[in-house]
Amino acid sequence: MRFAFYARYNTTMTADDIKRAYDEAARAVLLEHQEAVARILGEEQKKKEEADIAAVRARLIEHLP
Amino acid sequence: MSSIETAPRTSETHESEPTLDARLDALSVDAGRHDLAVVAEDLRAQRVIQETFPPEKRAAASMEVRKKSKETTDKLRKLRIAAALATTLIAMSPQETAAKEQEPVTAEMLAENPERLEELLEGVLISIQEEQAKTDQPELMPLQEEGNSVLRTLQDGKERGGKYTKVAGQVAETAFKVLVSAAGFGVGVTVYDGLKKVAETLRAKSA
């Protein structure tokens, strides 16, 4: 078997390496989650922001001399 | 959501090198933070949906976010199990034990925490399934069967009592043997490679 007995005699992989790999993988998953949520919210949130900006601009124009 | 940085924890019993228990505890603490981050993101998204989405689109968007949160939580759980498994298997290597003057991993030590033991076995089975999906490896079958059997015994005990009952010596011994075999087959290395691959794949996807 390809990996037979490798782990037991492998001295290059340490617990710290595993922890680092775990931290990186978890961070990547969380980032990917954030991006996915942003995509779901994206269109509507953008529309709302544009509507808010348009409303503020309209109010400003109303008050211009 | 901010990225999560984890400060390295030091063991209370070993000044220089954390024990396996301390390392596994640290992974659980990190996992708790990750889960909280997902919950916080979910709450923020739900608020945004209520404030910005037209009423007819709110339910669908809310459901989509919930689904994504669940998917992420499941992924994070698998990562934690994989990290715990790789850490345990590498701690079982004779070199690691001798070089770092750590206490050897024993069946009694694993039996003290049935929940952890169940997750480690689950990790072994997930890894074997993934390996089997890539190439048929009949030599892994006995390990898979034994792992399944001891996992069922652990889970049956839990269901009857409504919580984890103390793991009987024989069950712990069998579970220990499964883990030793998994270490011998190199499951720790494949799991470690898998962890690294997750980060690389996701980084490439978002770049």
Side-chain angles (χ1 to χ4, degrees), chain B residues 68-132:
Chain B
K68 186 65 204 166
S69 298
K70 192 184 174 307
E71 274 173 25
T72 303
T73 306
D74 289 346
K75 266 190 215 168
L76 288 169
R77 179 171 183 272
K78 276 190 179 174
L79 289 182
R80 179 174 59 80
I81 290 176
L85 179 64
T87 306
T88 305
L89 296 187
I90 201 70
M92 284 176 154
S93 110
Q95 278 84 350
E96 182 82 359
T97 307
K100 305 283 174 60
E101 293 179 354
Q102 287 198 44
E103 81 282 39
V105 181
T106 63
E108 287 87 341
M109 185 181 150
L110 294 167
E112 278 169 19
N113 194 336
E115 190 171 359
R116 183 175 286 168
L117 184 54
E118 186 183 337
E119 283 186 351
L120 293 173
L121 287 169
E122 203 183 324
V124 171
L125 294 172
I126 292 170
S127 308
I128 293 176
Q129 273 166 13
E130 285 173 0
E131 280 296 296
Q132 295 280 35

Side-chain angles (χ1 to χ4, degrees), chain A residues 7-63:
Chain A
R8 300 197 79 182
Y9 298 99
N10 170 37
T11 50
T12 57
M13 183 178 83
T14 67
D16 287 335
D17 292 333
I18 297 164
K19 179 72 171 64
R20 260 191 300 277
Y22 168 65
D23 286 344
E24 278 180 28
R27 205 173 294 134
V29 166
L30 287 171
L31 194 64
E32 192 243 357
H33 177 74
Q34 251 184 315
E35 286 168 359
V37 170
R39 273 195 301 276
I40 297 169
L41 302 181
E43 203 49 42
E44 295 299 332
Q45 202 176 8
K46 207 169 142 192
K47 273 190 216 162
K48 170 79 164 47
E49 280 166 8
E50 281 168 3
D52 287 348
I53 291 168
V56 170
R57 190 177 294 141
R59 273 204 301 278
L60 284 172
I61 291 169
E62 258 178 41
H63 289 92

Side-chain angles (χ1 to χ4, degrees), chain B residues 19-175:
Chain B
T19 61
L20 174 64
D21 253 354
R23 286 193 185 278
L24 296 180
D25 281 348
L27 288 175
S28 295
V29 170
D30 288 350
R33 287 195 198 126
H34 299 155
D35 286 346
L36 272 179
V38 176
V39 170
E41 181 71 0
D42 192 288
L43 289 174
R44 187 192 71 81
Q46 299 297 344
R47 187 170 48 79
V48 170
I49 289 168
Q50 290 308 313
E51 287 173 1
T52 62
F53 277 52
E56 69 277 10
K57 288 186 179 173
R58 282 177 197 163
S62 173
M63 193 84 90
E64 210 179 333
V65 169
R66 289 262 146 83
K67 195 176 150 213
K68 186 65 204 166
S69 298
K70 192 184 174 307
E71 274 173 25
T72 303
T73 306
D74 289 346
K75 266 190 215 168
L76 288 169
R77 179 171 183 272
K78 276 190 179 174
L79 289 182
R80 179 174 59 80
I81 290 176
L85 179 64
T87 306
T88 305
L89 296 187
I90 201 70
M92 284 176 154
S93 110
Q95 278 84 350
E96 182 82 359
T97 307
K100 305 283 174 60
E101 293 179 354
Q102 287 198 44
E103 81 282 39
V105 181
T106 63
E108 287 87 341
M109 185 181 150
L110 294 167
E112 278 169 19
N113 194 336
E115 190 171 359
R116 183 175 286 168
L117 184 54
E118 186 183 337
E119 283 186 351
L120 293 173
L121 287 169
E122 203 183 324
V124 171
L125 294 172
I126 292 170
S127 308
I128 293 176
Q129 273 166 13
E130 285 173 0
E131 280 296 296
Q132 295 280 35
K134 282 185 236 160
T135 48
D136 187 33
Q137 296 182 34
E139 58 272 47
L140 291 176
M141 287 302 287
L143 182 60
Q144 189 171 23
E145 280 163 19
E146 201 162 17
N148 261 321
S149 159
V150 72
L151 185 62
R152 264 199 309 275
T153 308
L154 276 175
Q155 287 169 341
D156 285 352
K158 179 177 72 173
E159 279 161 20
R160 271 202 300 275
K163 59 177 184 176
Y164 286 94
T165 49
K166 196 173 179 298
V167 176
Q170 206 184 344
V171 177
E173 277 293 333
T174 315

